Amino acid sequence: MGKVGSGRRAETYDADLGEHVARAQEGDEEAFAAAYRLVHPPLLGYLRGLVRDDAEDVASDAWLEIARDLGRFRGDGAGFRAWTASIARNRAIDHLRRLKSRPRDTLLEQDLRELPAAQDTAGEAFETISTEHALALIATLPRQQAEAVLLQTVIGLDGAAAARVLGKRPGAVRSATHRGLRRLGKHLATLERDRVTDSDSRALGDAT
């Protein structure tokens, strides 16, 4: 999935990314390639949550714009992640409009607070199921909940940065994330119950 992580790991990631971006803006092609390697995996995961199988094509369009406008960017590593996510989101929306659609209004539709420390549902989702399944699961959420969750768990943005990308108030994004993570938690609990039931059924069958 290429998640950024949190705490010291995220700080190190953003510090390295900021240095690569600064050198890339001075014309260092290797530094741009290094920044690409850091940012692309989570960015692609985010786009898969929006446009599914068209994510690679949309990502290519986004990186063309990122490379073209790199000289205009002002900020640090964390700011670069938010900036690239915003560009990728705009390209995804353009793509879906060309398909005469909107970003998953039928599956994803509505308006970032962390869950209580005892239940990190987003982390649990990515640890217990495959990346493909996790993205498919998030894609079933109402659109704004899905985007808020993707920006936090895949891109690694904080609430304020996610709100800027989405053009929403931070409180609305916190609420959307909270509701989305709560839905994911319920779905994961159902999956776990089904898994235990299937396991018990197989054990009973073997015993007989």
Side-chain angles (χ1 to χ4, degrees):
M1 176 64 71
K3 291 183 292 180
V4 173
S6 59
R8 183 168 297 179
R9 179 183 172 191
E11 291 177 5
T12 301
Y13 174 100
D14 282 334
D16 291 343
L17 178 58
E19 291 179 8
H20 293 319
V21 171
R23 295 207 314 271
Q25 289 180 309
E26 296 173 355
D28 188 330
E29 293 183 3
E30 290 186 3
F32 183 81
Y36 172 88
R37 287 192 295 271
L38 285 174
V39 173
H40 182 67
L43 196 68
L44 186 60
Y46 172 57
L47 287 171
R48 282 185 179 133
L50 298 180
V51 298
R52 299 288 184 90
D53 295 340
D54 296 328
E56 292 278 3
D57 291 339
V58 174
S60 295
D61 289 342
W63 278 107
L64 286 174
E65 183 172 343
I66 291 166
R68 184 195 69 200
D69 295 342
L70 184 63
R72 302 178 186 177
F73 171 73
R74 297 291 181 272
D76 56 10
F80 187 74
R81 285 193 284 119
W83 183 65
T84 55
S86 181
I87 290 174
R89 180 175 186 266
N90 288 338
R91 296 291 69 73
I93 291 173
D94 288 345
H95 174 76
L96 291 169
R97 282 175 177 160
R98 285 195 295 271
L99 297 178
K100 297 183 179 179
S101 179
R102 295 189 305 167
R104 306 215 187 284
D105 277 354
T106 54
L107 293 177
L108 284 175
E109 183 178 12
Q110 301 174 22
D111 278 310
L112 263 170
R113 178 187 304 276
E114 299 173 354
L115 286 179
Q119 184 184 12
D120 182 3
T121 306
E124 181 185 349
F126 287 107
E127 289 172 6
T128 59
I129 58 180
S130 69
T131 295
E132 182 179 357
H133 192 175
L135 290 172
L137 178 59
I138 293 172
T140 66
L141 296 172
R143 174 192 158 197
Q144 291 183 17
Q145 293 178 20
E147 286 206 71
V149 170
L150 287 166
L151 287 170
Q152 175 179 274
T153 62
V154 180
I155 301 296
L157 302 186
D158 60 23
R164 288 195 295 274
V165 170
L166 295 174
K168 302 289 184 181
R169 298 186 308 277
V173 176
R174 285 195 299 270
S175 177
T177 304
H178 182 65
R179 294 198 302 272
L181 293 179
R182 194 163 57 186
R183 285 185 182 221
L184 287 178
K186 291 179 180 178
H187 191 90
L188 287 168
T190 299
L191 290 176
E192 178 62 18
R193 283 197 302 271
D194 292 345
R195 186 187 67 79
V196 171
T197 299
D198 290 343
S199 178
D200 290 344
S201 297
R202 285 194 299 271
L204 182 60
D206 292 342
T208 58

